[in-house]
Amino acid sequence: MRGAVAAVWLYEGLWCKVLGRAQLEAQVVAKVPRFGPRFGQLFLKALGAIEVVLAAWVISGIHPGACAIAQVTLLVVLNANGLLWARDIIPDPAGMIVKNIAFLVLVWACGAIPGG
């Protein structure tokens, strides 16, 4: 279970953001007023690095409850801002929410398992 959650964060962080393989994510960030157009690419790279660190934290099993809280917080903030600023370019906003809720159920299940 930890491997599945970590794989999602690694894919999202490394592939999509650090390596820039998901153009839609750059477009979403660029839509944030006064922030995206100037700092969007830098923000995406930093966010990608944070997501890679999350992947490592998940796989480590250290403080799984705190790790789950960090993941939920990050995903809710990212989704809320995406819907607020770029809903018009997100292909399936409802589907994004449903998929992320399912992912967060898995995150919480991992958070309930003692480390190691």
Side-chain angles (χ1 to χ4, degrees), residues 53-73:
V53 169
L54 267 179
W57 188 7
V58 169
I59 211 72
S60 77
I62 299 169
H63 303 296
C67 184
I69 291 169
Q71 292 174 80
V72 170
T73 301

Side-chain angles (χ1 to χ4, degrees), residues 6-70:
V8 170
W9 287 116
L10 186 61
Y11 169 77
E12 288 292 328
L14 183 62
W15 183 257
C16 294
K17 295 176 183 75
V18 172
L19 298 176
R21 301 298 183 146
Q23 190 57 35
L24 179 62
E25 294 195 15
Q27 293 168 354
V28 167
V29 170
K31 300 237 358 176
V32 177
R34 288 178 282 173
F35 175 77
R38 291 180 58 196
F39 304 108
Q41 287 302 316
L42 180 61
F43 172 79
L44 271 183
K45 301 285 185 200
L47 177 58
I50 290 167
E51 290 176 343
V52 169
V53 169
L54 267 179
W57 188 7
V58 169
I59 211 72
S60 77
I62 299 169
H63 303 296
C67 184
I69 291 169

Side-chain angles (χ1 to χ4, degrees), residues 54-102:
L54 267 179
W57 188 7
V58 169
I59 211 72
S60 77
I62 299 169
H63 303 296
C67 184
I69 291 169
Q71 292 174 80
V72 170
T73 301
L74 180 62
L75 198 56
V76 167
V77 168
L78 291 174
N79 277 249
N81 278 286
L83 292 171
L84 178 65
W85 302 113
R87 183 183 182 101
D88 60 320
I89 65 170
I90 296 173
D92 182 12
M96 177 188 75
I97 292 169
V98 169
K99 288 183 243 181
N100 282 319
I101 288 171

